[in-house]
């Protein structure tokens, strides 16, 4: 073989090998970057819960915690309803599914913890937790005859109940005055409802991507905010004037409530992060969010910086947070597996 032919063959081989080597180097660089990012994330997930107690050995349809973490309410897949004293986790009240005229899906607790609302598709039962009995049950109807209940809220005393419907209407019932009002506030399912400190204000959010602060007596909208997709999480700190809401894609807003000025943007790598629950802590300086899976995040509001993250203890596939509150330097979570976990909120 002559020198010219050898040179030609070497050049041909180089033309084939070099692009492959470049691609391999590129892939190795990407792999190292992913390892670095994962390594950073792993450092954030090292903290275990301070305590774990499974209240119910069944998946929950709904569950909630009192704001002062003194009781929990669980509604199991078999529709057994239980009220638990915390922190000991002792069952205080129990109703089997046969105690109700209708299967339940939604729960709401009054601020004073005396009354519990139990909602089915189109029926509401009001339970007196002091007396341990079902006080009354009634049928509800939105603007659409086929509308069903999508969310519930009770005021501080339990004398007023707000009922969100899946066609966008909100029903307000004043039990003392025996009056009700019907408002068509949203264009799609109402996902969140909460009373203000005074009963004459309501905060609502829906699958139409809108968040409204409005007058309960007239339906007049005082403030409104929006995102492109359906709202999946909402947190409102009325005392410290902070508002957070997020939709089912990448979008979220963290605002000063009075001015609407952005406080920050949460910093994370993942696309399409879906927050299911949110809670302000430490006088609105920090935010806790829970994803649709098992991860809980702690953020600094002023910068959007992630401070800490935890993983729920799973007992089944699809474990997620149903409710969470902060109390005494701890975060308390109730999962869809019926597990109560305490997490330390270090400074």
């Amino acid at each position: 073989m002559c020198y010219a032919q050898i040179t030609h063959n070497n050049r041909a081989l180089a033309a084939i090998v070099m692009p492959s080597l470049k691609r391999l180097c590129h892939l190795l660089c990407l792999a190292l970057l992913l390892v670095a990012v994962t390594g950073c994330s792993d450092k954030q997930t090292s903290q275990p819960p301070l305590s774990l107690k499974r209240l119910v050995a069944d998946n929950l349809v709904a569950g909630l915690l009192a704001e002062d973490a003194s009781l929990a309410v669980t509604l199991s897949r078999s529709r057994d309803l239980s009220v638990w004293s915390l922190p000991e986790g002792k069952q205080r009240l129990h109703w089997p599914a046969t105690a109700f005229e209708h299967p339940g899906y939604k729960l709401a607790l009054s601020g004073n913890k005396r009354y519990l609302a139990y909602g089915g598709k189109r029926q509401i039962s009001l339970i007196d937790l002091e007396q341990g009995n079902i006080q009354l049950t009634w049928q509800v109807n939105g603007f659409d005859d086929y509308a069903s209940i999508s969310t519930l809220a009770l005021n501080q005393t339990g004398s007023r109940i707000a009922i969100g419907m899946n066609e966008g209407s909100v029903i307000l019932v004043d039990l003392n005055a025996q009056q009700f009002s019907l408002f068509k506030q949203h264009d799609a399912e109402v996902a969140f409802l909460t009373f203000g400190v005074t009963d004459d204000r309501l905060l609502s959010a829906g699958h139409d991507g809108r968040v409204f602060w409005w007058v309960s007596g007239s339906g007049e909208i005082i403030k409104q905010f929006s995102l492109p997709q359906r709202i999946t999480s909402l947190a409102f700190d009325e005392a410290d004037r902070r508002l957070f809401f997020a939709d089912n894609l990448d979008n979220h807003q963290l605002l000063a409530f009075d001015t609407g000025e952005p406080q920050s943007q949460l910093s994370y790598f993942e696309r399409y992060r879906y927050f299911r629950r949110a809670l302000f802590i430490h006088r609105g300086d920090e935010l806790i969010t829970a994803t649709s899976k098992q991860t809980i995040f702690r953020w600094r509001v002023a910068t959007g910086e992630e401070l800490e993250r935890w993983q729920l203890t799973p007992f089944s596939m699809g474990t997620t947070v149903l409710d969470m509150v902060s109390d005494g330097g701890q975060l308390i979570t109730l999962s869809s597996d019926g597990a109560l976990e305490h997490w330390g909120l270090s400074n």
Side-chain angles (χ1 to χ4, degrees):
M1 182 180 295
C2 70
Y3 175 78
Q5 187 176 358
I6 292 172
T7 303
H8 175 76
N9 289 343
N10 286 343
R11 288 175 179 172
L13 181 61
I16 294 172
V17 172
M18 289 305 292
S20 298
L21 288 174
K22 287 180 179 179
R23 283 195 295 271
L24 181 59
C25 289
H26 182 65
L27 289 173
L28 285 173
C29 289
L30 285 176
L32 289 171
L33 178 61
L34 287 173
V35 168
V37 171
T38 304
C40 292
S41 297
D42 288 343
K43 291 178 183 178
Q44 302 271 14
T45 61
S46 59
Q47 294 300 322
L50 300 176
S51 66
L52 166 66
K53 182 179 181 62
R54 196 175 186 194
L55 300 177
V56 181
D58 191 7
N59 290 338
L60 300 184
V61 173
L64 53 80
L65 298 167
E67 288 187 6
D68 64 357
S70 63
L71 64 81
V73 183
T74 60
L75 179 61
S76 71
R77 187 170 50 183
S78 60
R79 296 310 192 275
D80 281 353
L81 179 66
S82 298
V83 178
W84 309 82
S85 296
L86 301 181
E88 61 271 20
K90 181 180 179 182
Q91 190 179 70
R92 179 175 142 193
L93 296 167
H94 172 257
W95 292 269
T98 54
F100 299 95
E101 300 175 9
H102 52 90
Y105 302 89
K106 304 295 179 181
L107 299 171
L109 184 68
S110 64
N112 61 8
K113 300 171 292 185
R114 174 163 182 178
Y115 294 101
L116 176 69
Y118 171 95
K121 293 292 186 182
R122 297 184 184 88
Q123 298 85 21
I124 299 282
S125 293
L126 190 68
I127 302 169
D128 187 329
L129 297 183
E130 284 190 5
Q131 298 182 18
N133 59 24
I134 302 170
Q135 281 206 329
L136 69 160
T137 298
W138 72 96
Q139 179 97 7
V140 298
N141 295 292
F143 282 99
D144 187 330
D145 291 339
Y146 298 99
S148 60
I149 297 167
S150 56
T151 190
L152 299 171
L154 284 171
N155 70 344
Q156 174 66 24
T157 62
S159 62
R160 302 189 74 190
I161 180 168
I163 307 162
M165 306 295 284
N166 68 350
E167 33 74 292
S169 63
V170 177
I171 303 165
L172 296 180
V173 180
D174 187 326
L175 297 171
N176 291 337
Q178 296 186 347
Q179 295 178 342
F180 80 93
S181 305
L182 179 61
F183 302 97
K184 187 67 165 68
Q185 299 295 68
H186 291 272
D187 296 327
E189 180 174 315
V190 182
F192 298 94
L193 279 172
T194 183
F195 281 95
V197 174
T198 57
D199 292 350
D200 61 344
R201 297 289 186 271
L202 270 168
L203 186 71
S204 65
H207 286 188
D208 56 2
R210 296 179 180 179
V211 179
F212 295 136
W213 178 242
W214 50 284
V215 180
S216 62
S218 65
E220 177 191 357
I221 295 171
I222 304 168
K223 291 180 180 291
Q224 57 182 305
F225 312 91
S226 66
L227 286 174
Q229 303 293 326
R230 64 186 178 94
I231 304 299
T232 58
S233 61
L234 176 72
F236 180 41
D237 185 336
E238 189 171 358
D240 298 297
R241 317 306 285 175
R242 295 283 190 272
L243 177 69
F244 170 83
F245 54 101
D247 68 14
N248 62 338
L249 292 179
D250 282 345
N251 310 296
H252 67 268
Q253 290 194 32
L254 184 51
L255 307 174
F257 183 70
D258 292 327
T259 64
E261 290 294 322
Q263 300 297 286
S264 64
Q265 282 284 305
L266 304 184
S267 301
Y268 50 85
F269 288 105
E270 301 92 330
R271 294 192 66 201
Y272 306 122
R273 177 171 288 182
Y274 166 18
F275 295 119
R276 180 184 175 91
R277 290 286 181 268
L279 172 72
F280 283 105
I281 63 171
H282 295 164
R283 299 188 60 83
D285 290 336
E286 295 180 4
L287 176 73
I288 305 291
T289 61
T291 67
S292 58
K293 298 181 182 178
Q294 300 169 22
T295 311
I296 307 163
F297 296 87
R298 181 182 178 189
W299 310 89
R300 192 185 310 280
V301 168
T303 63
E305 170 194 4
E306 180 186 326
L307 300 175
E308 202 168 3
R309 65 170 70 179
W310 307 279
Q311 294 285 336
L312 295 177
T313 304
F315 292 89
S316 66
M317 295 291 289
T319 302
T320 190
V321 172
L322 293 183
D323 202 6
M324 55 187 182
V325 296
S326 65
D327 182 69
Q330 295 184 6
L331 177 72
I332 301 98
T333 59
L334 177 64
S335 78
S336 55
D337 289 329
L340 190 74
E341 295 181 83
H342 289 70
W343 313 86
L345 292 172
S346 57
N347 293 327

